Amino acid sequence: MEDDLDLVLRYFESKESAATNPAAGSDRFATLSTDEIQGKLDAAIPPNTRRKELWAVRIFDQWFEQRHNRILHGDTTGLLVLKERHEWNACDWNYLLKMFILEVRKVDGTKYNATTLRDIFSMMQHYLQYTLKKELNLWKDAACRGARMALDAAMKEATREGLVPGTNASSPIPATLEEELWQKGRLATTSPKLLLFTLVFYLGKQFALRGGTELHGLRYSCEIQLQHEDGQELLVYCENRATKTNNAGIKRRFVPLKTVKASHTADHDRCLPCIYKLYVDKRPENCTVQNLFLAWMRSDASIQQGRWYQNAPVGRHSLDGIVRELTAPLTGVTERYTNQSLRKTCASTLHRAGFAREDIARVTGHSSTAIERYIQFDVQDHVKVSHALQSGGQSSSLSIDTEPKRSVEAMEQSNVVTANPAKKMRLNINGNTNTVEIVFE
């Protein structure tokens, strides 16, 4: 009892001491203004989401103003809520959004496609939740059922009328195109620029990375490191920071950041650990830049002296356009290839190899059904499907060579011994730490 009393007395003595000495412990806690707090809350929202929200709200405001003017001039086809926006309740929003989603049009007066209508509806939900701070769920609340029915009807009508959204999505990179990039010298390790482009290509393909923002954020000897395990040298990628698929927020608090490991392959020209080691050897000594990717030297004299890279990072936009720059000069390319194609190539290749959706998601970092958009059929898949249908569902006896043919010169340059058996890929998965190890046997 006396010990407890002493603890209480010491507690109040410490409180009194802090009151008489305000500077005591002042460095422990941050002091933020209201604007700074709001800035941190706004920073948690992706910039693209913020832009889409402003776009949807601007359309809603234009519709509301036009509708109000029509009523003032005697139009009685509908009524508007004549209250301040912050006073609108669930019934008001349900009524207005039902009218809005059925009447919304483009600037030229034509209808939006089904996907755009759903995006507008989603951004209005985001506006209500994050901007107006309203506890209203347009997707679930019973009071908003009319608005959901209107959206469903408008989407179905747009689809019946053939208003299908144009595809702007990137496509996976087939093995034949990758081989062509090597044959034509678009992928190589013979110059600073080509070495960096090749490293970006295989990092994106092996670790399912994205565009310029994620690549620009990679730090040297941090997210990507060479490690030795069980006598093997592995190139390890660890998500040491929040990404698009794992923002480390409340909803993803139980999802560990992914770790993917890549082993050596027989083809040293295309071996990711080998490419990475070569790039690291070419980095300038005493480099003060934390970014993994450095700007390449353009002077032949500097390159001949062994100085391949500058003490400066590559810009985000330059990194974001690498795959597009690699594939643009190729003739006969009709698909759209971007850095996102490398991520889709990773998912589609693993799916073709027979891995389950859950295992593929551990490599890509997905935690939802969004992984389905990354798994796409290629020509060989369609050939197998056609053969199975034509043969009445019997097991396919059609031998399909999915590996691209390589020229004799390319095989001699890469020192590939054709007598060796083909290597098999194996994925070792640790569910507790979300670690994936890709090993070629």
Side-chain angles (χ1 to χ4, degrees):
M1 186 68 180
E2 293 181 359
D3 293 339
D4 294 340
L5 182 59
D6 290 339
L7 289 175
V8 173
L9 291 174
R10 283 199 296 269
Y11 170 75
F12 282 106
E13 287 175 356
S14 63
K15 294 286 287 183
E16 183 179 359
S17 175
T20 56
N21 185 13
S26 60
D27 294 337
R28 177 179 177 182
F29 300 106
T31 303
L32 301 178
S33 65
T34 304
D35 293 339
E36 290 174 330
I37 293 175
Q38 187 59 45
K40 290 184 178 295
L41 297 177
D42 294 339
I45 302 175
N48 191 44
T49 302
R50 178 65 69 185
R51 287 192 294 267
K52 292 177 67 175
E53 177 192 324
L54 294 176
W55 166 74
V57 173
R58 184 171 62 251
I59 296 176
F60 178 82
D61 291 339
Q62 293 172 354
W63 168 82
F64 188 86
E65 182 180 358
Q66 179 177 324
R67 206 67 168 72
H68 186 264
N69 291 335
R70 285 165 53 187
I71 291 178
L72 293 178
H73 289 81
D75 188 353
T76 59
T77 57
L79 298 176
L80 284 180
V81 180
L82 301 180
K83 295 187 296 186
E84 295 294 333
R85 183 165 298 184
H86 66 274
E87 298 177 351
W88 293 356
N89 56 31
C91 295
D92 297 333
W93 280 106
N94 176 66
Y95 173 73
L96 291 172
L97 288 177
K98 179 175 64 176
M99 295 175 58
F100 167 64
I101 210 69
L102 293 174
E103 296 181 354
V104 64
R105 296 292 186 273
K106 297 181 182 179
V107 177
D108 58 3
T110 59
K111 295 181 179 180
Y112 285 106
N113 60 58
T115 301
T116 305
L117 288 173
R118 190 184 187 281
D119 288 343
I120 293 175
F121 196 83
S122 297
M123 289 301 102
M124 292 304 299
Q125 168 64 59
H126 194 275
Y127 170 69
L128 289 171
Q129 182 177 359
Y130 289 96
T131 303
L132 297 184
K133 306 294 189 299
K134 285 188 172 293
E135 297 294 333
L136 181 63
N137 193 323
L138 299 177
W139 299 107
K140 296 181 179 180
D141 291 353
C144 301
R145 184 171 179 269
R148 292 195 297 273
M149 293 179 62
L151 173 64
D152 184 65
M155 292 177 63
K156 291 178 179 178
E157 181 180 5
T159 304
R160 284 196 303 268
E161 296 177 2
L163 299 177
V164 181
T167 176
N168 194 34
S170 56
S171 302
I173 299 176
T176 53
L177 180 59
E178 181 181 340
E179 180 64 25
E180 185 178 358
L181 291 173
W182 278 100
Q183 295 293 339
K184 294 189 175 182
R186 305 296 299 170
L187 288 176
T189 58
T190 55
S191 71
K193 181 179 180 179
L194 292 177
L195 174 58
L196 188 141
F197 277 30
T198 304
L199 178 61
V200 170
F201 185 93
Y202 282 101
L203 282 177
K205 178 182 176 183
Q206 191 83 47
F207 298 142
L209 303 182
R210 296 174 197 80
T213 301
E214 186 173 13
L215 293 172
H216 189 263
L218 294 179
R219 296 163 293 177
Y220 176 63
S221 295
C222 187
E223 283 84 8
I224 299 179
Q225 297 180 8
L226 283 168
Q227 298 180 6
H228 290 82
E229 297 181 13
D230 298 332
Q232 294 190 64
E233 186 179 47
L234 303 173
L235 186 64
V236 182
Y237 168 74
C238 299
E239 269 185 340
N240 293 332
R241 59 176 64 191
T243 60
K244 182 179 179 181
T245 54
N246 193 345
N247 55 21
I250 296 177
K251 295 182 179 179
R252 294 296 302 261
R253 62 191 183 279
F254 297 123
V255 180
L257 297 173
K258 76 172 185 180
T259 298
V260 185
K261 305 176 183 180
S263 65
H264 284 272
T265 60
D267 191 344
H268 294 288
D269 286 347
R270 309 184 190 189
C271 172
L272 179 55
C274 295
I275 297 172
Y276 180 79
K277 290 170 66 176
L278 179 59
Y279 172 77
V280 169
D281 291 340
K282 297 296 185 179
R283 284 175 60 94
E285 297 182 1
N286 302 322
C287 183
T288 59
V289 177
Q290 294 184 350
N291 300 67
L292 174 62
F293 299 110
L294 302 178
W296 58 87
M297 291 289 187
R298 290 171 169 80
S299 171
D300 293 336
S302 299
I303 297 174
Q304 291 175 0
Q305 294 174 3
R307 294 187 290 113
W308 280 34
Y309 297 100
Q310 306 174 32
N311 193 8
V314 181
R316 179 179 65 85
H317 296 291
S318 298
L319 289 171
D320 201 28
I322 283 181
V323 173
R324 194 161 44 243
E325 185 174 345
L326 284 172
T327 57
L330 301 181
T331 58
V333 175
T334 58
E335 301 291 337
R336 181 173 180 265
Y337 297 114
T338 65
N339 286 18
Q340 192 79 0
S341 300
L342 301 175
R343 187 169 170 82
K344 292 186 175 181
T345 303
C346 174
S348 300
T349 303
L350 294 178
H351 171 69
R352 197 176 306 117
F355 292 100
R357 296 289 201 276
E358 296 80 6
D359 298 338
I360 300 174
R362 295 180 187 275
V363 179
T364 62
H366 285 93
S367 63
S368 64
T369 56
I371 185 65
E372 297 294 335
R373 297 201 303 267
Y374 288 82
I375 299 175
Q376 299 185 12
F377 271 17
D378 64 359
V379 175
Q380 301 298 337
D381 293 322
H382 287 291
V383 170
K384 292 179 181 179
V385 169
S386 299
H387 179 80
L389 293 174
Q390 293 172 7
S391 61
Q394 298 179 3
S395 59
S396 174
S397 60
L398 180 64
S399 176
I400 301 177
D401 184 12
T402 58
E403 293 296 327
K405 300 297 183 181
R406 301 186 63 191
S407 65
V408 177
E409 294 80 8
M411 293 175 64
E412 291 177 352
Q413 292 176 1
S414 58
N415 298 322
V416 177
V417 181
T418 56
N420 289 341
K423 286 185 172 288
K424 299 180 180 179
M425 183 171 63
R426 183 180 81 249
L427 257 68
N428 300 328
I429 301 172
N430 188 331
N432 294 328
T433 60
N434 203 24
T435 302
V436 180
E437 180 179 349
I438 303 176
V439 181
F440 291 87
E441 300 178 322

